[in-house]
Amino acid sequence: MGLATDNIISGASTEQSDGNIITTTIDKVVNWGRKNSLWPMPFGTACCAIEMMATLASKYDLSRFGSEAIRFSPRQSDLLIVSGRISIKMMPVLKRIYDQMPDPKWVISMGACASCGGVFDTYTLIQGVDQFLPVDVYIPGCPPRPEDLIDAVMQVQRQIQKGELPKGVEAAP
Amino acid sequence: MTEEKEITEDTTPLVIQQLREKFADGLLSDAEVNNGVAVVVNKDNLYAILEYLKTDLAYSMLLDITAVDNSNLEEELMKYDYARFMVVYHLYTFEGETPRIRIKVPVNDKDLIVPSIINLWKGANWLERETYDMFGIQFEGHPNLERILMPNEFEGHPLRKDYPLRGRGERERFNFDKQNA
Ligand code: SF4
Protein backbone atom coordinates (compact mmCIF):
# COMPACT_ATOMS: atom_id res chain seq x y z
CA MET A 1 0.00 0.00 0.00
CA GLY A 2 2.98 2.29 0.58
CA LEU A 3 3.15 4.31 -2.62
CA ALA A 4 -0.56 4.24 -3.20
CA THR A 5 -1.51 5.51 0.24
CA ASP A 6 1.06 8.26 -0.07
CA ASN A 7 -0.85 9.53 -3.04
CA ILE A 8 -4.21 9.41 -1.35
CA ILE A 9 -3.22 11.00 1.89
CA SER A 10 -0.94 13.68 0.54
CA GLY A 11 -2.41 17.14 0.86
CA ALA A 12 -3.66 19.28 3.70
CA SER A 13 -7.17 17.89 3.92
CA THR A 14 -6.09 14.36 4.78
CA GLU A 15 -4.51 12.97 7.85
CA GLN A 16 -3.45 9.61 9.20
CA SER A 17 -4.12 8.59 12.74
CA ASP A 18 -1.55 6.52 14.52
CA GLY A 19 -3.60 3.33 14.09
CA ASN A 20 -4.79 1.67 10.89
CA ILE A 21 -7.35 4.28 9.99
CA ILE A 22 -6.92 6.60 7.02
CA THR A 23 -9.09 9.62 6.52
CA THR A 24 -9.28 11.30 3.16
CA THR A 25 -11.78 12.87 0.79
CA ILE A 26 -14.01 11.00 -1.63
CA ASP A 27 -12.58 12.96 -4.56
CA LYS A 28 -9.08 11.86 -3.78
CA VAL A 29 -10.02 8.21 -3.56
CA VAL A 30 -12.00 8.37 -6.76
CA ASN A 31 -9.17 10.12 -8.57
CA TRP A 32 -6.71 7.62 -7.24
CA GLY A 33 -8.82 4.75 -8.55
CA ARG A 34 -9.34 6.43 -11.87
CA LYS A 35 -5.70 7.19 -12.31
CA ASN A 36 -4.61 3.62 -11.78
CA SER A 37 -7.21 2.07 -14.05
CA LEU A 38 -7.09 4.04 -17.27
CA TRP A 39 -8.62 2.08 -20.12
CA PRO A 40 -7.01 3.27 -23.33
CA MET A 41 -8.76 3.27 -26.68
CA PRO A 42 -6.01 2.93 -29.30
CA PHE A 43 -6.51 4.77 -32.56
CA GLY A 44 -3.47 3.68 -34.54
CA THR A 45 -3.42 4.70 -38.17
CA ALA A 46 0.26 4.67 -39.08
CA CYS A 47 3.80 3.91 -37.97
CA CYS A 48 3.36 5.44 -34.50
CA ALA A 49 0.89 2.65 -33.79
CA ILE A 50 3.75 0.16 -34.01
CA GLU A 51 5.47 1.95 -31.13
CA MET A 52 2.20 1.95 -29.24
CA MET A 53 1.95 -1.82 -29.71
CA ALA A 54 5.49 -2.18 -28.40
CA THR A 55 4.53 -0.13 -25.38
CA LEU A 56 1.62 -2.42 -24.68
CA ALA A 57 3.59 -5.61 -25.19
CA SER A 58 5.67 -7.37 -22.58
CA LYS A 59 8.96 -5.54 -22.99
CA TYR A 60 7.71 -2.07 -22.05
CA ASP A 61 4.52 -3.32 -20.44
CA LEU A 62 2.14 -0.44 -19.95
CA SER A 63 0.19 -2.58 -17.48
CA ARG A 64 2.77 -1.67 -14.85
CA PHE A 65 0.94 1.65 -14.75
CA GLY A 66 -2.55 0.24 -14.70
CA SER A 67 -3.40 0.72 -18.35
CA GLU A 68 -3.28 -2.79 -19.74
CA ALA A 69 -6.98 -3.12 -20.46
CA ILE A 70 -6.92 -1.94 -24.08
CA ARG A 71 -10.46 -1.59 -25.35
CA PHE A 72 -11.35 -1.50 -28.99
CA SER A 73 -14.74 -0.23 -28.02
CA PRO A 74 -14.85 3.49 -27.26
CA ARG A 75 -17.80 2.99 -24.94
CA GLN A 76 -15.60 1.13 -22.49
CA SER A 77 -12.59 3.40 -22.44
CA ASP A 78 -11.54 6.75 -21.04
CA LEU A 79 -8.18 7.50 -22.69
CA LEU A 80 -7.96 8.03 -26.44
CA ILE A 81 -4.47 7.54 -27.89
CA VAL A 82 -4.32 9.05 -31.38
CA SER A 83 -1.21 7.58 -32.95
CA GLY A 84 -0.64 8.27 -36.60
CA ARG A 85 -1.74 10.38 -39.54
CA ILE A 86 -5.38 11.43 -39.67
CA SER A 87 -6.77 12.27 -43.10
CA ILE A 88 -9.83 14.40 -43.74
CA LYS A 89 -11.74 11.22 -44.48
CA MET A 90 -10.67 9.61 -41.21
CA MET A 91 -11.28 12.64 -38.99
CA PRO A 92 -15.10 12.24 -38.80
CA VAL A 93 -14.55 8.63 -37.70
CA LEU A 94 -12.13 9.73 -34.99
CA LYS A 95 -14.49 12.48 -33.88
CA ARG A 96 -17.31 9.99 -33.64
CA ILE A 97 -15.21 7.61 -31.58
CA TYR A 98 -14.28 10.43 -29.22
CA ASP A 99 -17.93 11.42 -28.89
CA GLN A 100 -18.88 7.86 -28.00
CA MET A 101 -16.46 7.67 -25.07
CA PRO A 102 -18.07 8.24 -21.68
CA ASP A 103 -16.95 11.20 -19.57
CA PRO A 104 -14.47 11.89 -18.09
CA LYS A 105 -12.14 11.21 -20.99
CA TRP A 106 -8.59 12.16 -21.87
CA VAL A 107 -6.81 12.41 -25.21
CA ILE A 108 -3.15 11.78 -25.98
CA SER A 109 -1.89 12.98 -29.36
CA MET A 110 1.05 10.72 -30.13
CA GLY A 111 3.72 11.73 -32.63
CA ALA A 112 4.37 14.62 -34.97
CA CYS A 113 1.65 13.63 -37.42
CA ALA A 114 -1.21 13.56 -34.96
CA SER A 115 0.01 16.72 -33.25
CA CYS A 116 0.74 18.95 -36.25
CA GLY A 117 0.69 16.97 -39.49
CA GLY A 118 4.37 16.15 -39.35
CA VAL A 119 6.13 16.10 -42.68
CA PHE A 120 2.83 15.55 -44.48
CA ASP A 121 1.87 19.11 -45.27
CA THR A 122 -0.61 18.03 -47.95
CA TYR A 123 -4.17 18.62 -49.04
CA THR A 124 -5.62 15.59 -47.33
CA LEU A 125 -3.96 15.51 -43.93
CA ILE A 126 -5.35 17.13 -40.79
CA GLN A 127 -2.64 19.46 -39.49
CA GLY A 128 -3.06 18.52 -35.86
CA VAL A 129 -6.02 16.71 -34.35
CA ASP A 130 -6.29 19.45 -31.73
CA GLN A 131 -8.19 21.48 -34.31
CA PHE A 132 -11.11 19.14 -33.75
CA LEU A 133 -10.45 17.33 -30.46
CA PRO A 134 -9.42 18.61 -27.02
CA VAL A 135 -5.93 17.14 -26.58
CA ASP A 136 -4.56 16.77 -23.02
CA VAL A 137 -1.03 15.57 -23.68
CA TYR A 138 1.09 15.84 -26.81
CA ILE A 139 4.03 13.55 -27.50
CA PRO A 140 6.73 14.88 -29.82
CA GLY A 141 8.82 12.59 -31.99
CA CYS A 142 8.65 10.64 -35.19
CA PRO A 143 7.97 8.10 -33.89
CA PRO A 144 8.14 8.70 -30.13
CA ARG A 145 9.80 5.93 -28.18
CA PRO A 146 7.70 3.69 -25.91
CA GLU A 147 9.15 5.53 -22.92
CA ASP A 148 7.62 8.73 -24.28
CA LEU A 149 4.19 7.15 -24.43
CA ILE A 150 4.59 5.82 -20.90
CA ASP A 151 5.62 9.29 -19.81
CA ALA A 152 2.52 10.76 -21.44
CA VAL A 153 0.26 8.24 -19.72
CA MET A 154 1.88 9.11 -16.40
CA GLN A 155 1.39 12.78 -17.18
CA VAL A 156 -2.32 12.09 -17.60
CA GLN A 157 -2.24 10.19 -14.30
CA ARG A 158 -0.65 13.17 -12.56
CA GLN A 159 -3.33 15.46 -13.94
CA ILE A 160 -6.04 13.10 -12.70
CA GLN A 161 -4.49 12.83 -9.25
CA LYS A 162 -4.28 16.59 -8.98
CA GLY A 163 -7.98 16.74 -9.77
CA GLU A 164 -7.51 18.70 -12.98
CA LEU A 165 -10.36 18.35 -15.39
CA PRO A 166 -9.69 17.01 -18.87
CA LYS A 167 -9.44 19.59 -21.65
CA GLY A 168 -12.71 18.35 -23.12
CA VAL A 169 -14.60 19.32 -19.98
CA GLU A 170 -12.91 22.67 -19.60
CA ALA A 171 -13.78 23.56 -23.16
CA ALA A 172 -17.49 23.02 -22.52
CA PRO A 173 -19.45 26.17 -21.62
CA MET B 1 23.18 -5.03 -73.25
CA THR B 2 23.28 -7.96 -75.67
CA GLU B 3 26.68 -7.63 -77.24
CA GLU B 4 26.74 -11.16 -78.64
CA LYS B 5 23.73 -10.46 -80.84
CA GLU B 6 24.31 -9.07 -84.29
CA ILE B 7 23.44 -5.46 -84.82
CA THR B 8 21.15 -6.18 -87.73
CA GLU B 9 18.84 -8.32 -85.63
CA ASP B 10 15.53 -6.76 -84.65
CA THR B 11 15.82 -6.37 -80.88
CA THR B 12 12.23 -5.23 -80.43
CA PRO B 13 10.59 -7.52 -77.88
CA LEU B 14 8.48 -10.23 -79.42
CA VAL B 15 5.28 -8.96 -77.85
CA ILE B 16 5.67 -5.60 -79.55
CA GLN B 17 6.29 -7.28 -82.88
CA GLN B 18 3.11 -9.27 -82.40
CA LEU B 19 1.16 -6.16 -81.49
CA ARG B 20 2.51 -4.33 -84.50
CA GLU B 21 1.40 -7.13 -86.77
CA LYS B 22 -2.11 -7.20 -85.43
CA PHE B 23 -2.78 -3.51 -84.73
CA ALA B 24 -0.80 -1.65 -87.33
CA ASP B 25 -2.55 1.71 -86.80
CA GLY B 26 -3.20 1.17 -83.13
CA LEU B 27 0.35 1.80 -81.93
CA LEU B 28 1.37 5.44 -81.69
CA SER B 29 4.98 4.94 -80.70
CA ASP B 30 7.89 2.60 -80.91
CA ALA B 31 8.44 0.50 -77.88
CA GLU B 32 10.46 2.06 -75.08
CA VAL B 33 12.58 -0.68 -73.64
CA ASN B 34 14.33 1.06 -70.82
CA ASN B 35 12.96 0.04 -67.47
CA GLY B 36 10.49 -2.49 -68.86
CA VAL B 37 8.62 -2.42 -72.13
CA ALA B 38 6.15 0.37 -72.78
CA VAL B 39 4.13 1.30 -75.80
CA VAL B 40 1.70 4.13 -76.53
CA VAL B 41 -1.53 3.07 -78.16
CA ASN B 42 -4.55 4.70 -79.71
CA LYS B 43 -7.61 5.08 -77.49
CA ASP B 44 -9.91 3.45 -80.04
CA ASN B 45 -7.82 0.31 -80.06
CA LEU B 46 -7.16 0.20 -76.34
CA TYR B 47 -9.77 -2.36 -75.37
CA ALA B 48 -8.95 -4.67 -78.28
CA ILE B 49 -5.24 -4.47 -77.54
CA LEU B 50 -5.67 -5.27 -73.86
CA GLU B 51 -8.04 -8.10 -74.72
CA TYR B 52 -5.54 -9.49 -77.22
CA LEU B 53 -2.74 -9.26 -74.65
CA LYS B 54 -4.81 -11.04 -72.07
CA THR B 55 -6.35 -13.83 -74.10
CA ASP B 56 -3.76 -14.54 -76.80
CA LEU B 57 -0.47 -13.46 -75.23
CA ALA B 58 -1.17 -14.70 -71.69
CA TYR B 59 -0.80 -11.33 -69.93
CA SER B 60 -3.20 -12.64 -67.35
CA MET B 61 -2.44 -10.23 -64.53
CA LEU B 62 -3.36 -6.57 -64.28
CA LEU B 63 -0.90 -4.93 -61.90
CA ASP B 64 -2.03 -1.33 -61.94
CA ILE B 65 -3.97 1.38 -63.68
CA THR B 66 -2.87 4.94 -63.18
CA ALA B 67 -2.40 8.18 -65.07
CA VAL B 68 0.16 10.91 -65.61
CA ASP B 69 -0.60 14.60 -65.96
CA ASN B 70 1.84 15.93 -68.53
CA SER B 71 0.65 19.54 -68.49
CA ASN B 72 4.06 20.84 -67.38
CA LEU B 73 6.02 18.79 -69.89
CA GLU B 74 5.86 20.58 -73.22
CA GLU B 75 8.00 17.89 -74.81
CA GLU B 76 5.59 15.11 -73.91
CA LEU B 77 2.55 17.16 -74.84
CA MET B 78 3.86 17.85 -78.33
CA LYS B 79 4.34 14.19 -79.09
CA TYR B 80 0.69 13.22 -78.81
CA ASP B 81 -1.34 16.09 -80.13
CA TYR B 82 -1.39 18.01 -76.84
CA ALA B 83 -3.18 15.27 -74.95
CA ARG B 84 -2.86 16.30 -71.32
CA PHE B 85 -3.13 12.91 -69.63
CA MET B 86 -1.54 9.57 -70.23
CA VAL B 87 -3.45 6.64 -68.75
CA VAL B 88 -1.10 3.77 -68.00
CA TYR B 89 -1.92 0.05 -67.69
CA HIS B 90 0.65 -2.29 -66.18
CA LEU B 91 0.34 -5.94 -67.21
CA TYR B 92 2.22 -9.03 -66.13
CA THR B 93 2.64 -12.48 -67.57
CA PHE B 94 4.12 -15.61 -66.08
CA GLU B 95 5.21 -16.87 -69.49
CA GLY B 96 7.42 -15.50 -72.23
CA GLU B 97 10.50 -13.34 -72.10
CA THR B 98 8.84 -9.98 -71.44
CA PRO B 99 7.08 -10.42 -68.13
CA ARG B 100 6.04 -6.79 -67.71
CA ILE B 101 4.51 -4.42 -70.22
CA ARG B 102 3.00 -0.95 -69.88
CA ILE B 103 0.28 0.20 -72.23
CA LYS B 104 -0.15 3.96 -72.33
CA VAL B 105 -2.98 5.85 -73.90
CA PRO B 106 -3.05 9.64 -74.40
CA VAL B 107 -6.25 11.29 -73.21
CA ASN B 108 -7.25 14.80 -74.11
CA ASP B 109 -8.58 17.28 -71.58
CA LYS B 110 -11.73 17.80 -73.64
CA ASP B 111 -12.54 14.13 -73.95
CA LEU B 112 -11.65 12.40 -70.73
CA ILE B 113 -13.46 9.18 -71.52
CA VAL B 114 -11.65 5.84 -71.68
CA PRO B 115 -13.35 2.44 -72.00
CA SER B 116 -13.57 0.51 -68.75
CA ILE B 117 -11.80 -2.86 -68.75
CA ILE B 118 -13.72 -4.45 -65.88
CA ASN B 119 -14.98 -7.11 -68.28
CA LEU B 120 -11.39 -8.24 -68.79
CA TRP B 121 -10.09 -7.93 -65.22
CA LYS B 122 -12.48 -7.59 -62.28
CA GLY B 123 -9.62 -6.06 -60.32
CA ALA B 124 -9.78 -3.02 -62.56
CA ASN B 125 -12.80 -1.81 -60.62
CA TRP B 126 -11.02 -0.04 -57.75
CA LEU B 127 -8.04 0.95 -59.87
CA GLU B 128 -10.31 2.79 -62.27
CA ARG B 129 -12.10 4.45 -59.39
CA GLU B 130 -8.78 5.61 -58.00
CA THR B 131 -7.70 7.01 -61.35
CA TYR B 132 -11.04 8.79 -61.60
CA ASP B 133 -10.66 10.15 -58.07
CA MET B 134 -7.14 11.46 -58.54
CA PHE B 135 -7.21 12.61 -62.17
CA GLY B 136 -10.86 12.86 -63.18
CA ILE B 137 -10.57 10.36 -66.01
CA GLN B 138 -13.98 8.89 -66.85
CA PHE B 139 -14.17 5.15 -67.45
CA GLU B 140 -17.07 4.37 -69.74
CA GLY B 141 -18.97 1.26 -68.66
CA HIS B 142 -17.78 1.28 -65.05
CA PRO B 143 -20.67 0.13 -62.82
CA ASN B 144 -19.91 2.48 -59.91
CA LEU B 145 -17.56 5.29 -60.81
CA GLU B 146 -17.31 7.12 -57.47
CA ARG B 147 -14.47 8.50 -55.43
CA ILE B 148 -12.59 5.83 -53.54
CA LEU B 149 -9.88 7.63 -51.55
CA MET B 150 -11.20 11.15 -51.07
CA PRO B 151 -14.50 11.88 -49.30
CA ASN B 152 -17.51 12.12 -51.58
CA GLU B 153 -17.93 15.85 -51.00
CA PHE B 154 -14.39 16.58 -52.11
CA GLU B 155 -14.05 18.85 -55.11
CA GLY B 156 -11.31 18.61 -57.69
CA HIS B 157 -8.83 15.92 -58.53
CA PRO B 158 -5.74 16.19 -56.33
CA LEU B 159 -3.08 14.55 -58.50
CA ARG B 160 -3.62 16.99 -61.35
CA LYS B 161 -0.74 19.39 -61.67
CA ASP B 162 -2.95 22.45 -61.26
CA TYR B 163 -4.15 21.24 -57.87
CA PRO B 164 -2.20 22.96 -55.08
CA LEU B 165 -0.12 20.65 -52.86
CA ARG B 166 -1.64 22.02 -49.66
CA GLY B 167 -5.13 21.87 -51.09
CA ARG B 168 -7.69 24.61 -51.26
CA GLY B 169 -8.34 24.73 -47.54
CA GLU B 170 -10.32 21.49 -47.27
CA ARG B 171 -8.27 20.30 -44.35
CA GLU B 172 -9.25 23.30 -42.23
CA ARG B 173 -12.86 23.84 -43.17
CA PHE B 174 -14.01 20.30 -43.62
CA ASN B 175 -17.58 19.97 -42.41
CA PHE B 176 -17.51 17.21 -39.81
CA ASP B 177 -21.02 17.73 -38.53
CA LYS B 178 -22.45 17.14 -41.97
CA GLN B 179 -20.36 13.98 -42.28
CA ASN B 180 -21.61 12.63 -39.00
CA ALA B 181 -25.25 13.30 -39.73
S1 SF4 C 1 4.96 10.94 -36.45
FE1 SF4 C 1 6.39 9.72 -37.68
S2 SF4 C 1 6.19 7.64 -36.87
FE2 SF4 C 1 4.39 8.79 -36.18
S3 SF4 C 1 2.81 8.43 -37.71
FE3 SF4 C 1 3.89 10.29 -38.30
S4 SF4 C 1 5.46 9.61 -39.73
FE4 SF4 C 1 4.78 7.79 -38.60
Side-chain angles (χ1 to χ4, degrees):
Chain A
M1 266 298 260
L3 245 177
T5 40
D6 282 351
N7 277 331
I8 307 183
I9 62 169
S10 63
S13 61
T14 56
E15 59 188 50
Q16 187 168 20
S17 69
D18 45 291
N20 292 321
I21 301 164
I22 300 169
T23 57
T24 179
T25 59
I26 275 285
D27 275 358
K28 286 220 155 118
V29 177
V30 168
N31 282 343
W32 172 76
R34 213 170 244 163
K35 158 191 154 191
N36 289 301
S37 64
L38 283 171
W39 287 35
M41 158 87 210
F43 197 82
T45 48
C47 10
C48 270
I50 305 293
E51 294 297 305
M52 179 175 63
M53 290 169 213
T55 318
L56 300 169
S58 55
K59 182 159 179 186
Y60 293 97
D61 201 6
L62 195 58
S63 69
R64 291 178 292 159
F65 309 99
S67 307
E68 76 274 27
I70 292 289
R71 284 299 121 151
F72 288 90
S73 161
R75 291 177 197 260
Q76 299 176 349
S77 45
D78 53 7
L79 172 64
L80 177 63
I81 305 179
V82 186
S83 47
R85 298 177 280 280
I86 305 294
S87 66
I88 55 176
K89 198 169 179 179
M90 192 51 115
M91 194 64 220
V93 179
L94 177 58
K95 184 91 169 62
R96 187 158 201 167
I97 283 176
Y98 175 78
D99 289 344
Q100 285 181 353
M101 288 166 60
D103 277 322
K105 51 195 171 187
W106 288 265
V107 180
I108 290 178
S109 161
M110 178 180 183
C113 288
S115 305
C116 68
V119 293
F120 303 97
D121 190 6
T122 64
Y123 57 93
T124 183
L125 221 85
I126 298 290
Q127 302 295 297
V129 290
D130 53 1
Q131 290 178 55
F132 304 101
L133 294 182
V135 176
D136 291 280
V137 179
Y138 299 86
I139 314 178
C142 175
R145 284 192 55 88
E147 291 90 335
D148 294 325
L149 180 55
I150 293 174
D151 184 44
V153 170
M154 293 179 79
Q155 181 70 36
V156 170
Q157 290 181 333
R158 280 194 287 274
Q159 288 181 9
I160 295 172
Q161 184 64 60
K162 272 195 249 161
E164 286 174 19
L165 292 172
K167 280 266 161 47
V169 175
E170 282 170 354
Chain B
M1 293 191 293
T2 50
E3 280 162 347
E4 309 95 57
K5 284 191 184 170
E6 285 173 37
I7 305 155
T8 47
E9 198 183 330
D10 188 359
T11 52
T12 318
L14 185 65
V15 50
I16 302 293
Q17 293 180 25
Q18 283 165 315
L19 280 180
R20 253 188 221 147
E21 233 164 73
K22 200 148 163 59
F23 302 94
D25 320 325
L27 306 195
L28 299 179
S29 78
D30 285 339
E32 308 161 19
V33 271
N34 46 359
N35 205 0
V37 177
V39 64
V40 180
V41 308
N42 192 327
K43 190 154 79 175
D44 300 335
N45 296 63
L46 174 72
Y47 192 91
I49 287 177
L50 290 172
E51 190 172 28
Y52 173 67
L53 282 167
K54 185 190 174 193
T55 49
D56 295 348
L57 301 186
Y59 280 88
S60 53
M61 189 170 172
L62 174 71
L63 291 180
D64 198 9
I65 301 176
T66 184
V68 182
D69 182 351
N70 281 330
S71 44
N72 295 344
L73 292 174
E74 188 68 12
E75 217 178 289
E76 286 293 314
L77 283 175
M78 266 160 49
K79 274 195 221 157
Y80 302 106
D81 202 15
Y82 283 88
R84 176 173 172 188
F85 297 100
M86 193 71 99
V87 180
V88 190
Y89 297 80
H90 296 240
L91 305 184
Y92 189 86
T93 181
F94 298 91
E95 298 152 30
E97 38 187 72
T98 320
R100 286 163 199 274
I101 184 169
R102 298 196 300 280
I103 303 294
K104 307 203 241 176
V105 50
V107 177
N108 200 299
D109 221 357
K110 293 183 193 72
D111 180 24
L112 288 168
I113 300 169
V114 172
S116 167
I117 55 161
I118 289 186
N119 292 339
L120 297 177
W121 286 279
K122 283 228 165 62
N125 189 322
W126 282 15
L127 298 172
E128 288 181 353
R129 278 176 69 184
E130 185 183 345
T131 311
Y132 162 71
D133 194 355
M134 292 291 138
F135 293 93
I137 311 277
Q138 308 273 341
F139 290 89
E140 197 174 21
H142 191 292
N144 180 29
L145 196 63
E146 281 179 22
R147 290 189 183 278
I148 186 167
L149 295 173
M150 306 309 294
N152 283 336
E153 303 84 342
F154 196 84
E155 280 166 22
H157 300 284
L159 284 192
R160 288 186 174 190
K161 291 292 180 207
D162 56 7
Y163 195 88
L165 174 64
R166 295 188 174 84
R168 298 182 175 131
E170 298 87 351
R171 62 188 190 187
E172 284 88 21
R173 68 172 145 73
F174 202 70
N175 189 343
F176 293 105
D177 297 335
K178 203 173 100 202
Q179 281 258 312
N180 278 338

